[in-house]
């Protein structure tokens, strides 16, 4: 019977074609508006590393001065000073740990036709690649002793490797950056993490491009590589690079990885003990609670998805509601002209339940067609949004979850819109309809 009613629903699309087209278009526009905004929110708020998101932590404590400080004030910065970053890297806390900061270096390629150009990257520890599950195309990350020695080694992105060497494996070759020759030890495969949770604080947005290259943290310090990111300085800073390193300026991000989510308490205890020890040494004068953020908490704290994005989704669903109201009116008009058909079927023995089922399946067919058209409109809307900026191009991508959501939303909207018109159609009195014929 379902198949029969479904075929009747397909045939009913040809009845009142103008009215049907208007219903489908109204439903499709509402679904497209909702799905396109929901898709962007879905991508932006997704878990970038679900297998480890509860085992990766960002520490935070306050090393700001006491002047103008009030109890309850937020910490002066989310980043760390050089002293704290090195102490954490040399500690035994967690399973892995790394510090990182953004760098930018002029690269002198072997190919003279390319000319000198600036590459953007990260100075970090060798644990970085395993901690964040970076995929390697060639080679691997550098060994732990390279961190300690400050070796001149580098890991390239696939994009930069192909620009410099084409499809060849460049591992073992040397590339000159910032006046020094770096040996290439690995090439990462394309690694577009959405959002870029591991390096949120920097010149790029959370949905920016991947890094061009990675060099050891100690190497960048030894070569006094220029920082490419934000720096917060409060208090006196002695002149020179060493003076800057010895200051309380915050410019480095630190990550810990624990073996299990349950090890968070032990890591928090270590952080509290470290802060207490530093207070005894005359630092960390503010009495601000020390905090740990896992990946999703860090994204929330950094407001990667702001209130404007959430408001846009609510507004789009409000628009969908208006489209549903219009669809209800159109369905009432369409079903009202079929009162004589319903009266004859009721007189021949059809129950109200059968009439209700038939008409509801017809509205479901309208929802399926509206969903298909809505999907096309949503894809077009996302393509237009992607043209606005690189960041929007990164998040304006529909996946199979949103594809399925589109059809579920369209059918659900059509069924909801069809409940009242279908119920009204079932109230037809057969005797009155037969008498009027």
């Amino acid at each position: 019977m379902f198949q029969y009613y479904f075929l009747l629903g397909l045939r009913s699309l040809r009845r009142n074609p103008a009215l049907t087209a208007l219903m489908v278009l109204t439903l499709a526009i509402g679904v497209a508006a909702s799905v396109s905004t929901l898709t962007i929110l879905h991508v932006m708020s997704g878990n970038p590393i679900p297998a480890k998101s509860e085992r990766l932590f960002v520490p935070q404590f306050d090393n700001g001065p006491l002047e103008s400080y009030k109890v309850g004030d937020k910490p002066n910065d989310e980043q760390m000073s050089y002293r704290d970053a090195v102490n954490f890297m040399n500690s035994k806390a967690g399973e892995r740990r790394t510090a990182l900061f953004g760098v930018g270096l002029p690269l002198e390629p072997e190919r003279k036709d390319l000319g000198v150009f600036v590459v953007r990257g990260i100075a970090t520890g060798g644990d970085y690649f395993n901690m964040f599950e970076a995929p390697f195309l060639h080679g691997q990350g550098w060994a732990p002793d390279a961190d300690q020695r400050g070796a001149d080694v580098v890991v390239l992105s696939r994009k930069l490797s192909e620009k410099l060497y084409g499809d060849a494996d460049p591992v073992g070759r040397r590339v000159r950056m910032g006046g020094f020759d770096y040996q290439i030890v690995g090439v990462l495969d394309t690694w577009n993490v959405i959002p870029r949770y591991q390096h949120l604080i920097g010149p790029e947005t959370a949905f920016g491009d991947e890094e061009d290259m990675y060099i050891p943290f100690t190497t960048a310090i030894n070569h006094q590589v220029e920082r490419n990111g934000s720096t917060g300085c409060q208090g006196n800073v002695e002149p020179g690079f060493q003076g800057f390193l010895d200051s309380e300026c915050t410019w480095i991000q630190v990550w810990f990885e624990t073996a299990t989510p349950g090890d968070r308490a032990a890591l928090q205890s270590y952080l509290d003990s470290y802060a207490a020890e530093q207070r005894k040494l005359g630092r960390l004068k503010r009495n601000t609670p020390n905090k740990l953020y896992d990946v999703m908490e860090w994204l929330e704290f950094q407001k990667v998805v702001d209130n404007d994005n959430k408001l846009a989704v609510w507004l789009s669903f409000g628009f969908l509601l208006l489209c549903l109201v219009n669809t209800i009116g159109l369905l009432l008009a369409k079903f009202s002209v079929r009162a004589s058909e319903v009266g004859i079927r009721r007189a021949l023995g059809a129950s109200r339940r059968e009439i209700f089922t038939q008409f509801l399946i017809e509205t479901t067919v309208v929802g399926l067609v509206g969903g298909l058209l809505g999907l096309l409109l949503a894809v077009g809307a996302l393509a237009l949004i992607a043209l606005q900026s690189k960041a929007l191009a990164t998040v304006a991508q529909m996946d199979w979850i949103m594809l399925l959501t589109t059809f579920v939303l369209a059918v659900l909207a059509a069924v909801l819109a069809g409940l009242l018109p279908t119920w009204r159609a079932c109230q037809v009195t057969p005797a009155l309809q037969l008498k009027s014929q």
Side-chain angles (χ1 to χ4, degrees):
M1 188 60 74
F2 176 84
Q3 183 179 5
Y4 174 67
Y5 287 157
F6 186 80
L7 292 174
L8 284 180
L10 289 176
R11 290 179 182 176
S12 74
L13 294 176
R14 294 197 294 267
R15 293 180 180 176
N16 300 319
L19 203 59
T20 301
L22 197 55
M23 277 192 299
V24 170
L25 187 60
T26 302
L27 197 60
I29 292 175
V31 169
S34 303
V35 168
S36 55
T37 54
L38 192 62
T39 296
I40 293 175
L41 183 66
H42 165 69
V43 174
M44 292 178 71
S45 59
N47 189 338
I49 184 167
K52 282 189 174 182
S53 64
E54 295 182 339
R55 296 194 288 118
L56 294 172
F57 297 97
V58 176
Q60 186 189 27
F61 54 72
D62 196 348
N63 69 339
L66 274 179
E67 289 80 8
S68 71
Y69 170 73
K70 296 177 183 177
V71 176
D73 283 353
K74 294 181 179 178
N76 61 317
D77 197 1
E78 296 86 17
Q79 300 183 100
M80 295 279 167
S81 67
Y82 174 76
R83 184 184 315 181
D84 293 322
V86 171
N87 288 341
F88 285 144
M89 287 184 74
N90 292 333
S91 73
K92 301 296 181 184
E95 288 292 298
R96 295 189 179 101
R97 62 212 70 81
T98 192
L100 61 94
F101 64 95
V103 295
L105 288 170
L107 187 148
E108 304 171 42
E110 295 175 355
R111 289 172 49 189
K112 300 303 179 187
D113 59 309
L114 289 177
V116 178
F117 60 93
V118 175
V119 290
R120 178 180 55 84
I122 286 179
T124 184
D127 280 343
Y128 177 92
F129 305 102
N130 288 326
M131 285 180 68
F132 302 118
E133 299 182 339
F136 274 89
L137 181 66
H138 302 297
Q140 57 188 357
W142 52 83
D145 67 317
D147 278 328
Q148 298 164 2
R149 291 185 290 107
D152 290 340
V153 293
V154 63
V155 170
L156 305 181
S157 70
R158 179 173 184 167
K159 185 177 179 182
L160 179 59
S161 174
E162 290 179 348
K163 181 175 182 178
L164 296 175
Y165 308 105
D167 295 331
D169 179 358
V171 172
R173 302 180 69 165
R174 289 187 173 274
V175 59
R176 190 166 182 80
M177 300 187 300
F180 296 90
D181 289 329
Y182 290 81
Q183 184 178 17
I184 301 171
V185 295
V187 176
L188 289 184
D189 205 347
T190 303
W191 192 35
N192 288 322
V193 183
I194 303 174
R196 297 169 66 251
Y197 66 97
Q198 74 276 29
H199 191 199
L200 282 178
I201 305 172
E204 288 289 328
T205 68
F207 306 98
D209 288 338
E210 59 181 321
E211 313 292 344
D212 295 320
M213 54 81 180
Y214 305 80
I215 58 176
F217 184 92
T218 308
T219 304
I221 296 298
N222 291 345
H223 292 333
Q224 301 186 14
V225 174
E226 192 68 26
R227 303 178 307 282
N228 185 23
S230 64
T231 300
C233 285
Q234 298 187 44
N236 296 326
V237 180
E238 297 296 327
F241 189 72
Q242 188 59 48
F244 176 71
L245 295 181
D246 294 337
S247 72
E248 294 292 345
C249 293
T250 51
W251 49 288
I252 301 171
Q253 299 162 56
V254 175
W255 282 89
F256 287 102
E257 178 185 347
T258 60
T260 67
D263 293 335
R264 177 174 185 157
L267 186 59
Q268 180 69 57
S269 178
Y270 163 76
L271 184 62
D272 292 339
S273 299
Y274 175 81
E277 181 184 341
Q278 293 301 309
R279 285 192 178 92
K280 290 180 181 177
L281 296 174
R283 301 180 60 226
L284 309 185
K285 299 175 181 177
R286 295 183 178 182
N287 190 26
T288 306
N290 311 305
K291 294 184 178 179
L292 283 176
Y293 298 94
D294 66 20
V295 172
M296 297 308 290
E297 291 169 347
W298 183 239
L299 295 177
E300 178 70 23
F301 178 72
Q302 291 292 331
K303 297 188 183 303
V304 170
V305 180
D306 58 27
N307 292 332
D308 289 345
N309 301 115
K310 298 174 182 175
L311 179 62
V313 173
W314 283 112
L315 290 176
S316 66
F317 273 94
F319 179 69
L320 176 62
L321 184 61
L322 289 177
C323 292
L324 285 183
V325 172
N326 285 330
T327 305
I328 290 173
L330 294 170
L331 282 171
L332 283 170
K334 183 175 183 179
F335 288 171
S336 64
V337 299
R338 297 171 64 184
S340 58
E341 173 192 335
V342 174
I344 292 173
R345 286 206 59 203
R346 290 291 314 281
L348 292 176
S351 65
R352 284 182 174 175
R353 182 177 180 179
E354 290 173 323
I355 299 296
F356 187 87
T357 302
Q358 176 191 340
F359 277 55
L360 200 59
I361 290 177
E362 286 189 21
T363 59
T364 303
V365 172
V366 172
L368 286 172
V369 177
L372 186 60
L373 182 59
L375 177 63
L376 296 175
L377 292 176
V379 170
L382 290 174
L384 289 176
I385 292 172
L387 294 176
Q388 305 306 310
S389 68
K390 277 188 176 180
L392 286 174
T394 304
V395 297
Q397 299 176 359
M398 182 171 288
D399 55 18
W400 66 270
I401 295 177
M402 295 312 302
L403 190 69
L404 185 62
T405 301
T406 302
F407 284 103
V408 171
L409 186 64
V411 171
L412 186 63
V415 170
L416 287 175
L419 287 177
L420 178 61
T422 302
W423 179 81
R424 288 283 301 274
C426 295
Q427 305 310 309
V428 170
T429 304
L432 291 178
Q433 292 299 322
L434 293 175
K435 187 177 178 181
S436 65
Q437 295 300 313

mmCIF file of all heavy atoms in Angstrom, residues 271-289:
data_model
loop_
_atom_site.group_PDB
_atom_site.id
_atom_site.type_symbol
_atom_site.label_atom_id
_atom_site.label_comp_id
_atom_site.label_asym_id
_atom_site.label_seq_id
_atom_site.Cartn_x
_atom_site.Cartn_y
_atom_site.Cartn_z
ATOM 1 N N LEU A 271 50.884 21.057 37.366
ATOM 2 C CA LEU A 271 50.825 22.477 37.022
ATOM 3 C C LEU A 271 50.722 23.330 38.282
ATOM 4 O O LEU A 271 51.392 24.369 38.405
ATOM 5 C CB LEU A 271 49.623 22.727 36.102
ATOM 6 C CG LEU A 271 49.446 24.150 35.568
ATOM 7 C CD1 LEU A 271 50.632 24.548 34.705
ATOM 8 C CD2 LEU A 271 48.148 24.272 34.769
ATOM 9 N N ASP A 272 49.894 22.896 39.235
ATOM 10 C CA ASP A 272 49.760 23.647 40.491
ATOM 11 C C ASP A 272 51.075 23.647 41.269
ATOM 12 O O ASP A 272 51.465 24.679 41.843
ATOM 13 C CB ASP A 272 48.643 23.027 41.343
ATOM 14 C CG ASP A 272 47.263 23.212 40.722
ATOM 15 O OD1 ASP A 272 47.111 24.121 39.880
ATOM 16 O OD2 ASP A 272 46.348 22.442 41.063
ATOM 17 N N SER A 273 51.751 22.497 41.292
ATOM 18 C CA SER A 273 53.032 22.412 42.011
ATOM 19 C C SER A 273 54.071 23.313 41.357
ATOM 20 O O SER A 273 54.854 23.996 42.038
ATOM 21 C CB SER A 273 53.535 20.963 42.027
ATOM 22 O OG SER A 273 52.625 20.140 42.691
ATOM 23 N N TYR A 274 54.080 23.316 40.021
ATOM 24 C CA TYR A 274 55.037 24.158 39.295
ATOM 25 C C TYR A 274 54.784 25.636 39.600
ATOM 26 O O TYR A 274 55.727 26.399 39.878
ATOM 27 C CB TYR A 274 54.922 23.911 37.790
ATOM 28 C CG TYR A 274 55.797 24.826 36.959
ATOM 29 C CD1 TYR A 274 57.149 24.542 36.786
ATOM 30 C CD2 TYR A 274 55.276 25.990 36.394
ATOM 31 C CE1 TYR A 274 57.963 25.399 36.057
ATOM 32 C CE2 TYR A 274 56.075 26.846 35.661
ATOM 33 C CZ TYR A 274 57.420 26.551 35.492
ATOM 34 O OH TYR A 274 58.235 27.395 34.773
ATOM 35 N N ALA A 275 53.501 26.038 39.579
ATOM 36 C CA ALA A 275 53.164 27.443 39.845
ATOM 37 C C ALA A 275 53.558 27.825 41.272
ATOM 38 O O ALA A 275 54.084 28.926 41.510
ATOM 39 C CB ALA A 275 51.680 27.672 39.617
ATOM 40 N N ALA A 276 53.332 26.917 42.235
ATOM 41 C CA ALA A 276 53.700 27.201 43.627
ATOM 42 C C ALA A 276 55.207 27.363 43.762
ATOM 43 O O ALA A 276 55.699 28.243 44.491
ATOM 44 C CB ALA A 276 53.194 26.075 44.524
ATOM 45 N N GLU A 277 55.959 26.528 43.061
ATOM 46 C CA GLU A 277 57.419 26.617 43.104
ATOM 47 C C GLU A 277 57.897 27.942 42.523
ATOM 48 O O GLU A 277 58.816 28.579 43.060
ATOM 49 C CB GLU A 277 58.010 25.442 42.325
ATOM 50 C CG GLU A 277 59.528 25.420 42.312
ATOM 51 C CD GLU A 277 60.049 24.287 41.432
ATOM 52 O OE1 GLU A 277 59.281 23.346 41.148
ATOM 53 O OE2 GLU A 277 61.212 24.359 41.025
ATOM 54 N N GLN A 278 57.280 28.361 41.419
ATOM 55 C CA GLN A 278 57.673 29.630 40.795
ATOM 56 C C GLN A 278 57.326 30.822 41.695
ATOM 57 O O GLN A 278 58.033 31.825 41.698
ATOM 58 C CB GLN A 278 56.985 29.770 39.429
ATOM 59 C CG GLN A 278 57.447 28.759 38.387
ATOM 60 C CD GLN A 278 58.945 28.853 38.126
ATOM 61 O OE1 GLN A 278 59.480 29.921 37.866
ATOM 62 N NE2 GLN A 278 59.629 27.708 38.217
ATOM 63 N N ARG A 279 56.230 30.691 42.450
ATOM 64 C CA ARG A 279 55.886 31.769 43.390
ATOM 65 C C ARG A 279 56.953 31.900 44.469
ATOM 66 O O ARG A 279 57.292 33.007 44.901
ATOM 67 C CB ARG A 279 54.509 31.496 44.017
ATOM 68 C CG ARG A 279 53.342 31.754 43.073
ATOM 69 C CD ARG A 279 51.995 31.771 43.795
ATOM 70 N NE ARG A 279 50.930 32.070 42.858
ATOM 71 C CZ ARG A 279 50.235 31.149 42.193
ATOM 72 N NH1 ARG A 279 50.506 29.854 42.403
ATOM 73 N NH2 ARG A 279 49.308 31.510 41.344
ATOM 74 N N LYS A 280 57.474 30.774 44.917
ATOM 75 C CA LYS A 280 58.551 30.813 45.919
ATOM 76 C C LYS A 280 59.787 31.497 45.355
ATOM 77 O O LYS A 280 60.583 32.090 46.091
ATOM 78 C CB LYS A 280 58.905 29.390 46.354
ATOM 79 C CG LYS A 280 57.821 28.733 47.194
ATOM 80 C CD LYS A 280 58.235 27.324 47.582
ATOM 81 C CE LYS A 280 57.142 26.652 48.405
ATOM 82 N NZ LYS A 280 57.501 25.246 48.735
ATOM 83 N N LEU A 281 59.961 31.413 44.029
ATOM 84 C CA LEU A 281 61.110 32.047 43.379
ATOM 85 C C LEU A 281 60.839 33.518 43.048
ATOM 86 O O LEU A 281 61.671 34.178 42.424
ATOM 87 C CB LEU A 281 61.462 31.292 42.089
ATOM 88 C CG LEU A 281 61.930 29.844 42.275
ATOM 89 C CD1 LEU A 281 62.113 29.160 40.926
ATOM 90 C CD2 LEU A 281 63.241 29.808 43.073
ATOM 91 N N GLY A 282 59.663 34.001 43.453
ATOM 92 C CA GLY A 282 59.356 35.406 43.240
ATOM 93 C C GLY A 282 58.583 35.714 41.979
ATOM 94 O O GLY A 282 58.409 36.887 41.634
ATOM 95 N N ARG A 283 58.113 34.680 41.284
ATOM 96 C CA ARG A 283 57.348 34.903 40.061
ATOM 97 C C ARG A 283 55.864 34.581 40.320
ATOM 98 O O ARG A 283 55.483 34.188 41.405
ATOM 99 C CB ARG A 283 57.874 34.019 38.928
ATOM 100 C CG ARG A 283 59.334 34.236 38.588
ATOM 101 C CD ARG A 283 59.734 33.318 37.451
ATOM 102 N NE ARG A 283 58.947 33.568 36.258
ATOM 103 C CZ ARG A 283 58.397 32.590 35.527
ATOM 104 N NH1 ARG A 283 58.559 31.324 35.892
ATOM 105 N NH2 ARG A 283 57.687 32.877 34.459
ATOM 106 N N LEU A 284 55.043 34.730 39.288
ATOM 107 C CA LEU A 284 53.615 34.385 39.349
ATOM 108 C C LEU A 284 52.971 34.978 40.611
ATOM 109 O O LEU A 284 52.482 34.264 41.492
ATOM 110 C CB LEU A 284 53.420 32.869 39.316
ATOM 111 C CG LEU A 284 54.131 32.112 38.198
ATOM 112 C CD1 LEU A 284 53.746 30.647 38.236
ATOM 113 C CD2 LEU A 284 53.824 32.708 36.849
ATOM 114 N N LYS A 285 52.980 36.295 40.677
ATOM 115 C CA LYS A 285 52.515 36.975 41.880
ATOM 116 C C LYS A 285 50.998 37.058 41.982
ATOM 117 O O LYS A 285 50.457 37.314 43.052
ATOM 118 C CB LYS A 285 53.121 38.381 41.922
ATOM 119 C CG LYS A 285 54.657 38.349 41.980
ATOM 120 C CD LYS A 285 55.256 39.725 41.909
ATOM 121 C CE LYS A 285 56.793 39.635 41.954
ATOM 122 N NZ LYS A 285 57.427 40.958 41.827
ATOM 123 N N ARG A 286 50.327 36.883 40.863
ATOM 124 C CA ARG A 286 48.857 36.958 40.906
ATOM 125 C C ARG A 286 48.287 35.634 41.415
ATOM 126 O O ARG A 286 48.777 34.563 41.048
ATOM 127 C CB ARG A 286 48.303 37.254 39.516
ATOM 128 C CG ARG A 286 48.700 38.626 38.991
ATOM 129 C CD ARG A 286 48.054 38.872 37.646
ATOM 130 N NE ARG A 286 48.366 40.193 37.131
ATOM 131 C CZ ARG A 286 47.886 40.663 35.985
ATOM 132 N NH1 ARG A 286 47.092 39.902 35.242
ATOM 133 N NH2 ARG A 286 48.190 41.873 35.586
ATOM 134 N N ASN A 287 47.242 35.729 42.211
ATOM 135 C CA ASN A 287 46.617 34.523 42.760
ATOM 136 C C ASN A 287 45.485 34.050 41.843
ATOM 137 O O ASN A 287 44.324 33.951 42.227
ATOM 138 C CB ASN A 287 46.090 34.805 44.166
ATOM 139 C CG ASN A 287 45.650 33.542 44.863
ATOM 140 O OD1 ASN A 287 46.140 32.460 44.552
ATOM 141 N ND2 ASN A 287 44.727 33.675 45.796
ATOM 142 N N THR A 288 45.830 33.773 40.603
ATOM 143 C CA THR A 288 44.843 33.326 39.609
ATOM 144 C C THR A 288 44.892 31.805 39.490
ATOM 145 O O THR A 288 45.984 31.239 39.444
ATOM 146 C CB THR A 288 45.152 33.951 38.233
ATOM 147 O OG1 THR A 288 45.241 35.368 38.374
ATOM 148 C CG2 THR A 288 44.066 33.609 37.231
ATOM 149 N N PRO A 289 43.734 31.125 39.475
ATOM 150 C CA PRO A 289 43.748 29.654 39.364
ATOM 151 C C PRO A 289 44.467 29.191 38.101
ATOM 152 O O PRO A 289 44.326 29.787 37.027
ATOM 153 C CB PRO A 289 42.256 29.289 39.317
ATOM 154 C CG PRO A 289 41.548 30.467 39.913
ATOM 155 C CD PRO A 289 42.363 31.660 39.574
#
